[in-house]
Amino acid sequence: MTIKNKLTKEIAKIVRSGLKLTNHNATSLPGYIAYKLDKNILDELSKNTKFIFVTGTNGKTMTTHFLVNILRQRYDKVYTNESGSNMVQGIITTLLDNPSKEETIAVLEVDEANLVRIGQNIKADYVIFTNIFRDQMDRFGEIYNIFAKVMDGMKVMPKAKIIANGDLPIFNYQQMEDYDRSYFGIRDYKNASSDYDLDAEINSDGILCPNCNHVLKYKMNNYSSLGDYSCPNCDFKTPYINYAIDEIIRLEADYSEFKIGEEVYKVSVGGLYNVYNALAALSAAKELGLSYEEIYRGLSSQKNVFGRQENINIDGKNVTINLVKNPTGLNQIIDLILLEEEPITLICLLNDNYADGTDVSWIYDSYYEKLSNLDIKDIYVSGMRKKDMKRRLEIAEIYDGNINEFDYENEIHNVIKNSKTNNIYILSTYTAMLRLREVLGL
């Protein structure tokens, strides 16, 4: 380690300590300062470490947490960017305490657009591809642009093994063929068709065959464009699935249970999308040689993480916070909320900062209309684009009363206290969710 490395590392640690002492978020700024001082700091921080990267549009944070919890059943030191700070500065901050002379393991959530940048400094041993959906159109454009960015990242890490969602057609494109890869998927055929004659979910992306541009057909469509697919005009079809869920035994609001072969797994979070996240982590753990018992313990003991079905009690009210940032993710959250049998209060926070995506038109591609099936007693909207949010919910016609605008940074406690129900669901974009957690003291 050079003198410059040492000095940079110590300065970053001092900044981190100062931020923590003053109750500020210490996930990005220390790494940002370190990178400004030493562009090669990641080279030093990553020595003797086995790296697993987790990238994709949705599910990065939860998959990372699942995998870290599994690995901690065997390894004493597992480093990760727990807060979900997944750009260069956040990853530097994560590795500040990584000992350079010990063999360690790290699971890093990596932003799709930053995979190439991180990969230039850290060579992953494995890269998990969760999914690719339309997200932050102002930043990424269409899904093919996102896929191109991810594959650019792989070009600087040609020896890394890819563990990809085999139910998503884009992860079976020709660009994948240059890499060692394994696929995971859900193959619970209870509700499947006898042939490939089903359509993908309405408004899905990436359902054209990359070889002949025909619309793909499905034998089983789990959600969006995920499922067992085949082209009706050529030989493009689902790849061999190395790690397949054969049966989803239970799927509830806060619990899931599934079966792979004779192995039964349980997770204490709800939603089909989280079954995929658990399966991604499980697949990586099997690639690393962990046992069924270790994987079972890791999955079954994992709780919700911040902003992902985060459940808290405030003034006797049951408050659930969910991060929403694109149509597919939001639709899955809506499906999860629809399992609620009691009356609810709905709070929607919409920001359009860079980290959220400055184009908020995606809220019109989501199925808010489904919420009309719930007994909604009151609705509140806030954030930088609260008027847009209010208008979208009015169009959805899910509530007969007035939709209330408020200032969540100063009034959230009063809104929760005075809400008409004991079950409050908060749907929030990223920067609003971070600020909300600060205001609530979480």
Side-chain angles (χ1 to χ4, degrees), residues 180-191:
D180 186 14
R181 60 200 184 280
S182 288
Y183 287 106
F184 59 88
I186 296 176
R187 290 293 178 270
D188 186 339
Y189 284 111
K190 287 195 298 288
N191 299 314

Side-chain angles (χ1 to χ4, degrees), residues 29-96:
L29 184 60
Y32 174 80
I33 291 173
Y35 186 73
K36 286 294 184 181
L37 293 173
D38 183 357
K39 292 292 190 295
N40 299 314
I41 188 64
L42 270 174
D43 293 339
E44 179 59 39
L45 295 177
S46 61
K47 287 182 177 178
N48 298 317
T49 302
K50 183 185 292 293
F51 283 98
I52 302 101
F53 292 173
V54 182
T55 194
T57 304
N58 294 337
K60 293 187 293 292
T61 298
M62 202 67 210
T63 298
T64 298
H65 278 260
F66 275 133
L67 182 53
V68 167
N69 211 41
I70 293 170
L71 293 177
R72 282 176 176 160
Q73 309 305 310
R74 175 176 292 190
Y75 298 96
D76 292 331
K77 292 182 179 179
V78 183
Y79 290 91
T80 185
N81 44 344
E82 291 193 35
S83 68
S85 183
N86 58 38
M87 296 188 185
V88 173
Q89 60 267 29
I91 290 171
I92 292 174
T93 303
T94 295
L95 297 175
L96 285 176

Side-chain angles (χ1 to χ4, degrees), residues 133 200-201 203-205 207 218 221-226 328 332:
F133 298 120
E201 194 173 77
N203 212 23
S204 295
D205 295 304
I207 57 173
Y218 288 74
N221 178 224
N222 294 318
Y223 70 85
S224 186
S225 56
L226 293 169
T328 301
Q332 285 296 295

